[in-house]
C-alpha cells in the first residue's frame, strides 16, 4: 500500500520524460488542445463547412506557436537564462499569430460569416484567443521545465551511482595487491643494488597512493594533479618493465592548464589500457605517448601506445567493461558535448578525447 503513491509518481515522471512515451504525450496533448478549441465559440460564427475550415486553421496556427515555443524558444533562450529575449520573442510570436488569425478571418472567411453575428464579436474573438493561448503557452513552458528538471535529476543520480561503482572498481583493480606486491619487490631489490633509485620509487609510490586515497574522492581535481598522477603511474610502470618508454606532452606551466579542473581519473582507464596493450611478449621496445592541451575552453587528450601484433585489442565500439564505463561516465558528465575516437591500427592504438572545460 505504501508503495502505490510512489509507483504512480514514478509512472507520471516517466511519462513526462521518457522517449518511449513521446508519441503518446504528443497525441494526448493534441487531442486535449483540439477539445479546448472545439468548445470555443468563434468557429460557430461561420456557415456550413467553412466553420470547420476556420476551426482547423486556428488550431494549426496555435499548435504551431506552441511547438515553436517548446522546441525553439524555451531550449535556445529560456534554458540559457536569456529571459528578456525569450519574453520579447514570445510576445512577438503571440502578436504575429493572433494578427495572422485576425487578418485571415477578415480577408478569407468574412464572406462565410453568419450575418446575424454582430461585428463587435471580432474583439471578443481576439480576447478569447488570448485567453486560450496564454495558459497553453505557460503550461507547455512549465512542462518543458519540469522535463528538464526530472532529466537532470536522473542524470545526477545515475552519475553518482556510476562514480561510486567506478571508485570501488578502482580500489579493487587499480590499487590491487598484485601491483603493490610487484612494486614492493622491486623496491626490495633496488635497496641492495641502487638505494637512491629505491628512494625515488618509494616517493613516487607514496604520491601515487596519496592521489588515489584523497584527491580521487573529490568531485573535481586540477588537471595538473591528474597529469602528475599519470606521470607517477607511468614512471612506476617503467621501473617494473624493461624496454618501456613514455612521454607526456603538456604545458603544465600554462595559466589555462594550471587553472583547469576536471573530474578525477578521467584519463586513467585509457592510460591503463595503453600500458596493458603496449606489452610486447618478444621483449621489443614498447611505448606510451600522451598529449594534453587546453584551447578555447576545450580539453584535448590523446593517448597512443605501441601494440603487440599478436595481441587482440577491443575495437572502436568501446569493448571491455572499463571503456564502457568511462564512455557512460562521459555521457553523464558532458551529454553530447564530448568526442571520443578510438583507432586500432596494426602497430599503434590511439585514443582521442575532446571535452569542454
Amino acid at each position: 500500500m505504501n508503495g502505490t503513491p510512489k509507483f504512480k509518481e514514478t509512472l507520471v515522471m516517466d511519462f513526462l520524460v521518457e522517449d518511449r512515451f513521446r508519441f503518446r504525450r504528443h497525441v494526448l496533448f493534441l487531442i486535449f488542445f483540439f477539445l479546448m478549441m472545439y468548445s470555443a465559440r468563434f468557429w460557430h460564427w461561420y456557415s456550413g463547412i467553412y466553420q470547420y475550415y476556420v476551426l482547423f486553421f486556428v488550431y494549426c496556427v496555435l499548435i504551431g506557436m506552441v511547438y515553436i515555443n517548446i522546441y525553439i524558444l524555451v531550449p535556445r533562450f529560456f534554458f540559457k537564462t536569456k529571459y528578456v529575449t525569450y519574453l520579447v520573442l514570445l510576445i512577438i510570436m503571440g502578436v504575429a499569430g493572433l494578427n495572422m488569425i485576425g487578418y485571415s478571418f477578415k480577408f478569407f472567411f468574412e464572406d462565410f460569416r453568419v450575418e446575424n453575428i454582430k461585428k463587435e464579436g471580432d474583439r471578443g474573438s481576439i480576447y478569447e484567443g488570448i485567453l486560450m493561448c496564454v495558459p497553453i503557452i505557460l503550461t507547455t513552458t512549465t512542462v518543458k521545465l519540469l522535463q528538464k528538471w526530472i532529466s537532470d535529476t536522473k542524470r545526477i543520480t545515475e552519475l553518482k551511482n556510476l562514480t561510486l561503482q567506478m571508485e570501488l572498481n578502482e580500489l579493487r583493480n587499480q590499487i590491487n595487491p598484485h601491483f603493490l606486491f610487484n612494486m614492493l619487490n622491486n623496491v626490495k631489490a633496488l635497496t641492495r643494488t641502487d638505494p637512491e633509485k629505491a628512494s625515488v620509487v618509494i616517493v613516487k609510490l607514496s604520491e601515487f597512493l596519496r592521489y588515489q586515497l584523497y584527491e580521487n574522492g573529490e568531485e573535481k581535481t586540477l588537471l595538473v594533479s591528474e597529469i602528475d598522477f599519470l606521470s607517477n603511474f607511468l614512471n612506476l610502470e617503467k621501473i617494473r618493465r624493461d624496454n618501456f618508454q613514455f612521454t607526456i606532452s603538456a604545458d603544465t606551466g600554462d595559466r589555462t592548464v594550471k587553472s583547469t579542473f576536471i573530474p578525477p581519473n578521467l584519463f586513467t582507464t585509457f592510460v591503463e589500457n595503453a600500458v596493458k596493450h603496449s606489452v610486447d611478449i618478444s621483449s621489443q621496445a614498447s611505448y606510451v605517448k600522451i598529449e594534453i592541451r587546453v584551447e578555447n575552453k576545450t580539453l584535448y587528450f590523446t593517448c597512443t601506445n605501441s601494440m603487440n601484433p599478436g595481441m587482440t585489442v577491443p575495437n572502436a565500439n568501446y569493448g571491455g567493461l572499463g571503456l564502457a564505463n568511462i564512455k557512460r561516465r562521459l555521457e553523464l558528465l558532458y551529454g553530447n558535448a564530448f568526442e571520443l575516437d578510438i583507432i586500432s591500427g596494426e602497430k599503434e592504438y590511439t585514443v582521442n578525447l575532446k571535452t569542454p572545460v
Side-chain angles (χ1 to χ4, degrees), residues 128-153:
E128 187 176 17
I130 294 174
L131 291 174
M132 290 184 59
C133 187
V134 170
I136 289 296
I137 292 291
L138 293 178
T139 301
T140 52
T141 301
T142 303
V143 170
K144 200 69 178 175
L145 289 172
L146 181 61
Q147 286 180 331
K148 188 175 188 303
W149 177 79
I150 294 173
S151 179
D152 290 346
T153 301

Side-chain angles (χ1 to χ4, degrees), residues 233-242 244-246:
F233 174 73
L234 292 172
N235 270 306
L236 291 172
E237 188 65 25
K238 183 177 180 180
I239 294 170
R240 289 203 314 122
R241 284 166 48 187
D242 296 328
F244 174 74
Q245 300 293 328
F246 74 91

Side-chain angles (χ1 to χ4, degrees), residues 2 39 52 61 134 174 219 224 227 272 289 297 318 335 355:
N2 293 332
S39 64
Y52 296 103
V61 172
V134 170
Q174 292 176 8
E219 183 178 352
V224 290
I227 294 172
E272 283 185 333
K289 299 177 182 178
K297 297 183 179 181
Y318 316 109
T355 69

Side-chain angles (χ1 to χ4, degrees), residues 187 190-191 193-203 238-239:
V187 171
L190 286 172
T191 54
T193 60
D194 194 342
E196 184 176 349
K197 191 174 183 180
S199 176
V200 172
V201 172
I202 292 173
V203 171
K238 183 177 180 180
I239 294 170

Side-chain angles (χ1 to χ4, degrees), residues 31 40 48-49 71 82 95 99 105 122 131 160 188 209 221 230 232 239 267 291 343:
I31 292 174
I49 191 67
Y71 290 107
K82 299 177 181 179
V95 172
N99 277 298
F105 284 176
D122 289 341
L131 291 174
K160 288 181 178 178
K188 180 182 178 181
L209 294 175
T221 187
L230 296 179
N232 288 330
I239 294 170
F267 311 130
E291 180 182 354
I343 304 171

Side-chain angles (χ1 to χ4, degrees), residues 142-208:
T142 303
V143 170
K144 200 69 178 175
L145 289 172
L146 181 61
Q147 286 180 331
K148 188 175 188 303
W149 177 79
I150 294 173
S151 179
D152 290 346
T153 301
K154 293 179 69 175
R155 285 180 62 226
I156 292 172
T157 301
E158 188 175 354
L159 178 60
K160 288 181 178 178
N161 292 336
L162 183 62
T163 301
L164 177 60
Q165 178 186 352
M166 292 185 69
E167 288 173 357
L168 292 174
N169 288 336
E170 286 161 0
L171 289 173
R172 186 170 57 250
N173 298 322
Q174 292 176 8
I175 315 179
N176 56 68
H178 185 259
F179 174 83
L180 292 177
F181 177 77
N182 286 335
M183 290 310 306
L184 292 174
N185 272 341
N186 290 333
V187 171
K188 180 182 178 181
L190 286 172
T191 54
R192 298 175 181 175
T193 60
D194 194 342
E196 184 176 349
K197 191 174 183 180
S199 176
V200 172
V201 172
I202 292 173
V203 171
K204 291 187 178 298
L205 183 59
S206 66
E207 292 176 352
F208 175 84

Side-chain angles (χ1 to χ4, degrees), residues 285-304:
S286 58
Y287 60 84
V288 171
K289 299 177 182 178
I290 297 173
E291 180 182 354
I292 299 173
R293 70 182 193 277
V294 180
E295 296 178 359
N296 300 322
K297 297 183 179 181
T298 302
L299 173 64
Y300 297 88
F301 169 81
T302 301
C303 182
T304 302

